[in-house]
Amino acid sequence: MRSLLTIALAGFAWATTAVAQDPVIVQSVGIVDYGIYRIELSGRRVPVPTTAASEVRPASRAVLIAQTNEIPAKVGTTFGYQIVVNGSPTGALADFEVVVHPAFTKPDGKVTDTKDRVPWRYWIGKQSSYTYTFDYDWEAVPGNWLIEIWRNGKRLASKEFVVGAGGK
């Protein structure tokens, strides 16, 4: 099954080994822009069992096409936002959890959880993106979608999108 999620990072921030460094302090996460994007996939697949597809496909680049929170419920549509993590030290990686979407009913009749929980790392001080692509018609669930970024039990960024607007 193809991935449901794509995460675009300035330089791809997923790291599998810890590096000794100063303690990471995250003050806030700012949303730089949001809407519909064109993405370039990195070619990697990262296993994430807490998502409906059990994996994510990181993007190496995300280009904003239209700043809007009204998203067509159409296969191939990519939406989300670009962020900057504010904190210290600049350039350090910080762990987050991204939460997104309503429940899906897959073709086999299985209903997914109402949220995907994606553990991810973003660099402090660098612009990064979180995007979601409708790869299948069963994913394009009309209604209010909320994409949130969490760290240590605290919501740091949130944006609501209305799926179905201007489309299906």
Side-chain angles (χ1 to χ4, degrees), residues 77-152:
T77 301
T78 298
F79 66 100
Y81 49 63
Q82 294 192 354
I83 62 166
V84 171
V85 177
N86 301 302
S88 65
T90 299
L93 284 171
D95 295 312
F96 295 91
E97 182 177 60
V98 181
V99 179
V100 64
H101 86 66
F104 302 136
T105 302
K106 293 183 174 185
D108 64 5
K110 290 183 182 174
V111 178
T112 67
D113 193 358
T114 57
K115 297 180 189 291
D116 277 355
R117 297 185 184 284
V118 183
W120 209 256
R121 290 182 169 174
Y122 291 107
W123 277 294
I124 293 177
K126 293 186 180 180
Q127 186 167 309
S128 303
S129 300
Y130 183 88
T131 60
Y132 192 99
T133 300
F134 296 133
D135 289 322
Y136 305 100
D137 58 356
W138 54 265
E139 298 177 275
V141 177
N144 294 336
W145 284 54
L146 192 62
I147 299 177
E148 301 176 320
I149 297 181
W150 290 75
R151 179 172 167 83
N152 299 331

